[in-house]
Amino acid sequence: MTGAFYVTTPIYYVNAEPHIGHTYTTVVVDTLARYHRMAGEPTFFLTGTDEHGEKVAEVAEQRGETPTAVADRYSKAFRSTWDELGFSYDRFIRTTDPDHVAMVQLILQKVYDAGEIYFQEYEGLYCVGCERFLTERDMADGLCRDHDRAPERRKESNYFFRIAKHFNWLSDTIEKHPDFIRPPGFRKETLAMLREESGLGDLCISRPKDRLSWGIELPFDGDYVCYVWFDALINYLTAVGYPDGPDFERLWGAAEHVIGKDILKPHAIFWPILLRVIGAPLFRHLNVHGHWNVDKRKVSKSLGNMISPLAMKQRYGFDAFRYVLLRDMVFGLDANFTEAGLVARINADLANNLGNLVSRTLNMTARYSGGRVPQPGAPDDLENEIAEAAPRTAAQVDRHLRRCEVSRALEAIFGFLDGVNRYLETRAPWKAARDGGEEAKRLVSTSLYTACEALRVTALMIAPFLPATAPAILERLGIPGALEGARLPDDVARWGVLAPGTPTVKGPALFPRIEPPAEDA
RNA sequence: GGCGGUGUAGCUCAGUCGGUUAGAGCGGCGGCUUCAUAAGCCGUAGGUCGUUGGUUCGAGUCCAACCACCGCUACCA
């Protein structure tokens, strides 16, 4: 596993503060990036903001500001939030960055020169509410489906990108590479969109400046700006120096996009076609996740249920919050978030299972072994089982993460911890400690050593998921630097690394149990 | 309207190529234990596998229709 790893979040549109949805995507990508770094793969993690388009121009207009000022403010909100949450991104890109603007124009020109863009005047039904032309499918009984108002007849000229003629090979590609778009539900949905009857046609990629000026100008016609999706998708190339930057070839071939299901179409259809047209290889995988509902309702500004990640960090600690996000959404399906559910999950997994295991192990080490890692005796079957379960678990984590199945990866790790708790129950060192005989002493030392080792490898395995917790555990085990240079999954198979005699620290509860919130009447 | 997804124990979900008495975690209940964050361990809970009708020796697992919820339908992760 020495290949590179290039992983991206979508760029977030600058019309709202970061909420649970943006946070989830970014947490997943951060976890993948951390994992692949620990797997020894040169990794590049890209996130950023999408800043052009009508919505931003509108907000600026309303407040008497420039679009630039509005974009700056929101972009900073994202960036400072991501920084405070400790995300390990390598670049925070903005679609207003000069290198990106230049890249978009370079690519537009390239596509234009290739004859893949045509100019067309058309007359159609325009909905003022949507600020776009409607097709028959957008209407019901002659009214706009979304705004319930009659569209007006308008004439406009625009540039179109010939995408329809590419649907066949794209379909074939998706058929031949079953995991190109995953999980499979979204692959099927994409194939359905590509079938003729879906009515998907060529893509309008321009907006006349008199309608919208906040965008990147078309290099071949100064009266138009570029349609936002065209602008936005290209950020993935800008960041790796298309077409001949030093890292381009290495990174681009390993590109993994992570998106929410709402932006499937641009990523699954427009993007591969654009890449093909400019002669760039396709990305490796498009990983599509579902949406979080909050208290069984859609996340929306008007409901005020956006869930601020900073508030969650303050209340529960960010490791705990990110654990719940990663654990409680099956990648690809929708999930429901409630604060009661979050507390239940934190208590069951982080406090009772992991936290308490750390606590009991280190407490016994303090009591029965003078606060030092004991010298183990010869391992027996039970010890061997734990030592063998560890690399087996690490292999499962590896397999799951390479498929983007983050919740499954965590299930595997916490299953391993269940086993360690059971192991302690069976060995019951606290009983043997009362006995005091030679054999009993050996049992205490061996079982505590095994538990400490199990915690050590657990810390390695959870590091990508709980980046603050992992070093905290290792510090208590007396090996604060153990994460440096650690390799996953291989190092988990190296059992017996912890040196007997190493001083340990019990410390306060890693994840204190949280009182469940009062039930609403 | 079109397309797609989901529907399995109170909750969140597994269920590979169809095959003996449908599984896990959480919660609940009973017991054990006391090293530990009233944590841990053991046992248990009987859910018409959305509905109906098919294919089959046999279907949660394939087919059809229907119902419910959700999503997309060109700027909400």
Side-chain angles (χ1 to χ4, degrees):
Chain A
M1 300 297 166
T2 52
F5 188 73
Y6 174 38
V7 64
T8 69
T9 72
I11 44 178
Y12 303 111
Y13 201 63
V14 288
N15 66 344
E17 307 278 329
H19 60 64
I20 187 171
H22 309 114
T23 307
Y24 176 73
T25 310
T26 313
V27 163
V28 169
V29 170
D30 184 63
T31 300
L32 293 175
R34 288 175 189 274
Y35 184 80
H36 285 268
R37 285 190 201 108
M38 287 185 75
E41 300 165 32
T43 295
F44 195 86
F45 166 6
L46 177 70
T47 188
T49 46
D50 181 13
E51 310 184 12
H52 296 297
E54 292 171 29
K55 285 277 190 308
V56 173
E58 217 170 80
V59 171
E61 177 94 12
Q62 283 163 9
R63 300 190 192 161
E65 290 179 283
T66 62
T68 307
V70 172
D72 279 352
R73 193 169 54 247
Y74 278 114
S75 184
K76 268 183 199 140
F78 272 97
R79 183 164 190 160
S80 65
T81 300
W82 282 185
D83 286 342
E84 189 160 339
L85 300 180
F87 291 138
S88 60
Y89 62 83
D90 294 292
R91 174 166 176 186
F92 188 98
I93 195 169
R94 304 181 54 180
T95 52
T96 48
D97 286 341
D99 64 338
H100 178 70
V101 173
M103 181 65 66
V104 170
Q105 290 186 319
L106 178 133
I107 287 175
L108 277 168
Q109 188 66 52
K110 202 164 178 165
V111 176
Y112 187 71
D113 291 345
E116 299 281 337
I117 290 176
Y118 61 93
F119 188 68
Q120 190 178 58
E121 176 177 274
Y122 61 94
E123 191 174 349
L125 296 170
Y126 184 89
C127 173
V128 179
C130 298
E131 298 194 45
R132 66 179 180 87
F133 288 88
L134 304 180
T135 67
E136 284 170 27
R137 296 176 303 129
D138 297 317
M139 288 182 287
D141 301 324
L143 300 178
C144 168
R145 207 177 282 286
D146 292 333
H147 294 88
D148 212 27
R149 63 193 282 179
E152 42 188 81
R153 202 146 261 295
R154 274 202 197 180
K155 209 182 267 186
E156 192 169 295
S157 298
N158 266 307
Y159 289 91
F160 289 82
F161 179 24
R162 301 180 196 279
I163 61 167
K165 66 174 185 181
H166 294 280
F167 293 171
N168 279 337
W169 70 256
L170 182 54
S171 267
D172 288 347
T173 301
I174 296 170
E175 294 279 8
K176 277 187 205 128
H177 303 277
D179 65 349
F180 179 56
I181 298 169
R182 62 190 184 187
F186 295 108
R187 169 176 179 268
K188 283 176 73 174
E189 198 165 334
T190 304
L191 287 170
M193 288 190 277
L194 287 170
R195 283 196 287 269
E196 228 167 274
E197 59 268 28
S198 79
L200 192 61
D202 285 342
L203 179 66
C204 177
I205 55 149
S206 67
R207 293 290 182 272
K209 272 192 181 169
D210 53 21
R211 183 140 78 79
L212 172 72
S213 62
W214 178 234
I216 296 175
E217 194 173 278
L218 298 187
F220 45 82
D221 189 336
D223 291 337
Y224 288 85
V225 297
C226 171
Y227 165 60
V228 283
W229 267 116
F230 206 90
D231 164 358
L233 290 164
I234 289 170
N235 91 87
Y236 302 132
L237 287 178
T238 305
V240 289
Y242 172 83
D244 46 21
D247 295 329
F248 176 70
E249 214 162 302
R250 185 176 58 113
L251 286 174
W252 184 249
E256 297 278 343
H257 296 312
V258 178
I259 64 166
K261 64 180 184 176
D262 48 285
I263 52 176
L264 178 65
K265 182 185 282 186
H267 283 82
I269 297 179
F270 306 160
W271 185 223
I273 290 172
L274 178 58
L275 288 168
R276 164 67 76 95
V277 166
I278 63 173
L282 303 186
F283 44 87
R284 198 159 61 189
H285 296 294
L286 179 63
N287 305 284
V288 188
H289 68 249
H291 284 174
W292 281 96
N293 294 314
V294 173
D295 298 326
K296 299 258 180 192
R297 312 194 64 169
K298 261 184 87 161
V299 167
S300 83
K301 263 185 182 171
S302 50
L303 285 171
N305 62 350
M306 312 285 280
I307 303 287
S308 151
L310 293 178
M312 288 295 119
K313 176 188 176 183
Q314 190 174 19
R315 222 172 304 170
Y316 303 105
F318 192 60
D319 266 22
F321 181 56
R322 88 183 243 158
Y323 177 78
V324 173
L325 292 182
L326 292 170
R327 178 63 184 77
D328 278 351
M329 173 174 273
V330 176
F331 195 88
L333 301 179
D334 286 356
N336 187 43
F337 178 88
T338 63
E339 201 143 343
L342 166 125
V343 168
R345 178 58 82 183
I346 292 174
N347 282 341
D349 292 2
L350 298 180
N352 297 351
N353 192 345
L354 172 61
N356 183 57
L357 178 62
V358 170
S359 197
R360 68 196 301 208
T361 300
L362 292 178
N363 187 61
M364 285 190 278
T365 304
R367 258 166 97 152
Y368 308 136
S369 182
R372 287 174 182 279
V373 174
Q375 174 73 51
D380 208 333
D381 285 356
L382 289 179
E383 284 72 29
N384 289 333
E385 265 175 45
I386 298 289
E388 284 159 20
R392 201 165 54 237
T393 304
Q396 285 170 357
V397 170
D398 187 77
R399 200 167 57 246
H400 284 129
L401 280 188
R402 288 181 192 283
R403 294 181 190 160
C404 216
E405 298 164 343
V406 286
S407 65
R408 305 254 181 279
L410 284 173
E411 275 184 278
I413 295 174
F414 280 74
F416 172 71
L417 291 174
D418 280 331
V420 180
N421 268 317
R422 268 197 303 276
Y423 166 78
L424 281 179
E425 217 60 40
T426 311
R427 283 294 186 231
W430 54 91
K431 283 183 189 163
R434 280 185 236 124
D435 182 310
E438 265 317 298
E439 195 173 329
K441 273 187 187 164
R442 218 168 27 247
L443 188 154
V444 171
S445 302
T446 305
S447 58
L448 290 184
Y449 184 83
T450 302
C452 285
E453 263 298 270
L455 289 181
R456 181 184 66 80
V457 298
T458 297
L460 298 186
M461 289 192 284
I462 63 167
F465 305 88
L466 302 173
T469 304
I473 292 172
L474 293 169
E475 200 167 316
R476 290 172 192 213
L477 287 170
I479 44 173
L483 231 35
E484 282 162 40
R487 282 279 176 276
L488 289 176
D490 299 359
D491 282 357
V492 176
R494 296 174 56 220
W495 194 261
V497 169
L498 201 48
T502 307
T504 63
V505 182
K506 182 175 184 291
L510 221 44
F511 294 97
R513 214 183 141 74
I514 302 162
E515 280 312 307
E519 303 258 338
D520 313 12

